[in-house]
Amino acid sequence: MTAVALGVPSVRGLPQGAPAHGPLVDTFGRVATDLRVSLTDLCNLRCTYCMPAEGLDWLPSDQKLSVDELVRLLRLAVTRLGVTSVRFTGGEPLVVPHLEQVIAATAALRPRPEITLTTNGVGLAGRAAALQQAGLDRINVSLDTVDPQRFAAITRRDRLDAVLAGLQAAKAAGLAPVKVNAVLDPVSGRDDAVALLRFCLAQGYQLRIIEQMPLDAGHSWRREDALTADEILAALRREFVLTAHPGPRGSAPAELWQVRDSDGALLGDVGVIASVSHAFCASCDRTRLTADGQVRNCLFARDETDLRDLLRSGADDDAVEAAWRAAMWSKAAGHGINDPGFVQPDRPMSAIGG
Ligand code: SAM
Ligand code: SF4
């Protein structure tokens, strides 16, 4: 079996100039309050736009943060760096046995951050209630189509029923609003978008459609293949009436639309995340931690800051805080996907945490 190498960039020298206190800020004045934590690079699906069929060179266990190391970094982020929301992701976070333990530890921090989870939903049916009890506030479940054959083709696994059961369980557990994340297939995506929106409106889930980004392990993303937000909206408009949502967008990546039927009755809303065609980097409020303890200041960053080795070398909280601040200080103005010299990061989405 061939596995695609998991590219892990080298750690760069830390830049000078980051403030020692106050919010987690970069040189453009953006403040990071939203922490994305990848708990593992492992996954039980093989979505074509994310992972190769044969999987990846998974991180060895001893390279991943232990629960104690992770909880120490979470405490530091919340109590010293001003992080107010924590999203656990992966890889697939539900394959991590200590997920509930980490959520409970995060919920015990003060000020208590909002705690959310992004999951493919496989295995969620049996865990949604326990996750809610541990302190999970909200959940995003990834689902790219409601057609069983297309689901199996996109994820390379026949698990649609498990995901649908997971969504139901999340709703029953009160993890509201349950959001559905969809990355559309270039060929069937227009039809899938319409069917997904009908499904989500009927079930009371909030659909968020994400433009496919160049973060696949095989580096085979091609701009001309990926559906743009405008193409997605055009497909939805053939079946629904969409009007701009009146609410403020803030730093939310999704542009929200109110959905009505042809009689003007309000059915719900839909969001489109135009990461590629209408980048929202100027309002980005994210900081990222990988399962092996690297801070990334952007999904598309080409450098990382190694907090794991710092922890393991006996560094005190002041030193770890300073390293995290320095990592964010040097955040680039934008992801650069649309620049002629754009280079895709070595790590695929599953090893960064989406
Ligand atoms: N396994 C979980 C899941 O699928 O929800 C969490 C990790 S996954 C990397 C997080 C999100 O990233 C998912 O919603 C997935 O659809 C999205 N994603 C993965 N690869 C992507 C890509 N190349 N472009 C855009 N979104 C992507
Ligand atoms: Fe796994 Fe999520 Fe990547 Fe799909 S998108 S392969 S579910 S990590």
Side-chain angles (χ1 to χ4, degrees):
M1 182 173 88
T2 338
V4 173
L6 178 65
V8 179
S10 60
V11 180
R12 58 151 175 227
L14 297 177
Q16 302 298 307
H21 305 287
L24 194 50
V25 67
D26 66 39
T27 56
F28 298 93
R30 291 168 297 190
V31 175
T33 55
D34 182 7
L35 171 59
R36 305 278 157 134
V37 180
S38 173
L39 291 175
T40 180
D41 57 329
L42 294 172
C43 189
N44 42 13
L45 301 184
R46 295 286 183 273
C47 304
T48 49
Y49 49 79
C50 181
M51 252 194 221
E54 66 276 18
L56 294 160
D57 281 342
W58 311 118
L59 285 167
S61 302
D62 64 347
Q63 286 188 27
K64 291 191 238 185
L65 293 176
S66 68
V67 174
D68 286 349
E69 288 169 335
L70 175 58
V71 171
R72 180 174 167 200
L73 291 177
L74 287 164
R75 179 178 51 72
L76 218 139
V78 168
T79 60
R80 292 183 172 223
L81 298 173
V83 162
T84 56
S85 59
V86 179
R87 177 173 295 275
F88 294 107
T89 177
E92 176 44 49
L94 288 180
V95 306
V96 173
H98 54 256
L99 176 60
E100 287 83 353
Q101 187 188 349
V102 171
I103 288 175
T106 310
L109 295 171
R110 293 294 176 269
R112 185 199 190 283
E114 181 188 48
I115 305 170
T116 57
L117 181 73
T118 300
T119 169
N120 64 30
V122 175
L124 180 59
R127 278 172 91 179
L131 290 166
Q132 192 276 337
Q133 278 156 24
L136 185 66
D137 297 311
R138 288 191 296 104
I139 196 161
N140 288 48
V141 178
S142 300
L143 176 64
D144 305 331
T145 177
V146 286
D147 178 275
Q149 279 78 38
R150 290 211 281 268
F151 181 94
I154 292 169
T155 65
R156 302 188 180 103
R157 299 287 185 275
D158 185 12
R159 303 307 306 273
L160 176 61
D161 288 347
V163 179
L164 298 181
L167 278 163
Q168 286 291 343
K171 185 162 72 169
L175 293 168
V178 175
K179 292 188 183 171
V180 169
N181 287 4
V183 174
L184 297 177
D185 179 81
V187 179
S188 62
R190 291 175 176 80
D191 293 341
D192 289 333
V194 170
L196 273 167
L197 184 51
R198 280 195 209 294
F199 166 76
C200 288
L201 292 171
Q203 297 295 327
Y205 308 141
Q206 294 187 356
L207 178 62
R208 300 288 179 263
I209 303 176
I210 310 167
E211 281 182 348
Q212 197 179 125
M213 295 181 276
L215 287 170
D216 56 308
H219 290 222
S220 57
W221 179 89
R222 284 165 23 110
R223 176 184 306 276
E224 52 277 27
D225 291 343
L227 290 179
T228 65
D230 290 346
E231 289 167 332
I232 294 162
L233 289 169
L236 294 177
R237 283 197 163 106
R238 285 202 282 274
E239 301 290 331
F240 304 97
V241 177
L242 302 185
T243 51
H245 199 285
R249 181 167 172 186
S251 58
E255 187 170 12
L256 285 188
W257 300 86
Q258 288 185 326
V259 184
R260 295 173 195 277
D261 65 16
S262 52
D263 297 328
L266 185 61
L267 304 175
D269 67 37
V270 63
V272 180
I273 302 181
S275 328
V276 178
S277 66
H278 299 97
F280 38 83
C281 304
S283 59
C284 180
D285 63 354
R286 293 186 186 166
T287 181
R288 296 173 182 278
L289 185 64
T290 65
D292 54 340
Q294 312 296 306
V295 169
R296 295 179 63 89
N297 59 25
C298 174
L299 268 179
F300 292 90
R302 303 212 31 92
D303 315 294
E304 308 182 328
T305 297
D306 190 345
L307 297 189
R308 181 198 60 202
D309 279 2
L310 208 50
L311 294 180
R312 292 183 185 177
S313 68
D316 64 11
D317 282 356
D318 287 347
V320 181
E321 174 184 353
W324 201 325
R325 287 183 180 281
M328 293 309 294
W329 183 244
S330 63
K331 178 169 172 142
H335 56 43
I337 299 175
N338 301 310
D339 299 345
F342 172 72
V343 180
Q344 181 171 338
D346 297 325
R347 276 191 198 251
M349 185 67 130
S350 61
I352 299 173

